[in-house]
Amino acid sequence: MRKEDTVKLISAEGFEFIIDRKAALVSNTLKNMLTSSGSFTETQLGEVRFPEISAPILEKVCQYFYWSLQFASGKETEFHIEPEITLELMMAANYLHT
């Protein structure tokens, strides 16, 4: 897979999640950051830092992006969310407009 087909998402702790660009574009916020016509760092490097989102939450967000792509293509499966991360996950989803 080519580098331009992937996006690197970096958590508050510095963990890096490399995901398909197509999956990242599920998020309207990421879509705006990565497809901007300006010379923004996110657009040029294909990476986005999230100083407020922890690694476990960002990992779950990445899982959701892939789940969302499957759901949109007609594959309906359950997306399990652990109750103890619900609040943090909702705050991240709100920021990412997913």
Side-chain angles (χ1 to χ4, degrees):
M1 184 171 284
R2 299 176 321 172
K3 184 178 185 233
E4 44 291 333
D5 293 337
T6 62
V7 175
K8 184 188 301 183
L9 306 181
I10 305 169
S11 73
E13 304 88 347
F15 286 95
E16 298 178 353
F17 298 90
I18 299 172
I19 64 171
D20 294 329
R21 183 178 182 84
K22 187 178 185 181
L25 296 181
V26 165
S27 161
N28 288 326
T29 300
L30 289 175
K31 185 177 191 177
N32 290 335
M33 288 177 168
L34 296 168
T35 60
S36 171
S37 59
S39 58
F40 295 103
T41 303
E42 294 86 1
T43 305
Q44 292 177 349
L45 299 178
E47 67 179 49
V48 182
R49 294 184 180 275
F50 296 101
E52 301 294 325
I53 302 178
S54 68
I57 298 302
L58 191 53
E59 179 180 19
K60 195 68 168 179
V61 167
C62 292
Q63 290 171 2
Y64 172 78
F65 291 160
Y66 284 103
W67 177 87
S68 181
L69 288 176
Q70 289 181 349
F71 186 82
S73 69
K75 185 177 179 184
E76 294 187 29
T77 60
E78 187 175 315
F79 185 74
H80 179 71
I81 299 172
E82 297 79 8
E84 58 273 5
I85 68 166
T86 302
L87 180 60
E88 272 188 279
L89 192 58
M90 285 176 50
M91 291 182 348
N94 184 53
Y95 172 74
L96 293 168
H97 295 279
T98 55

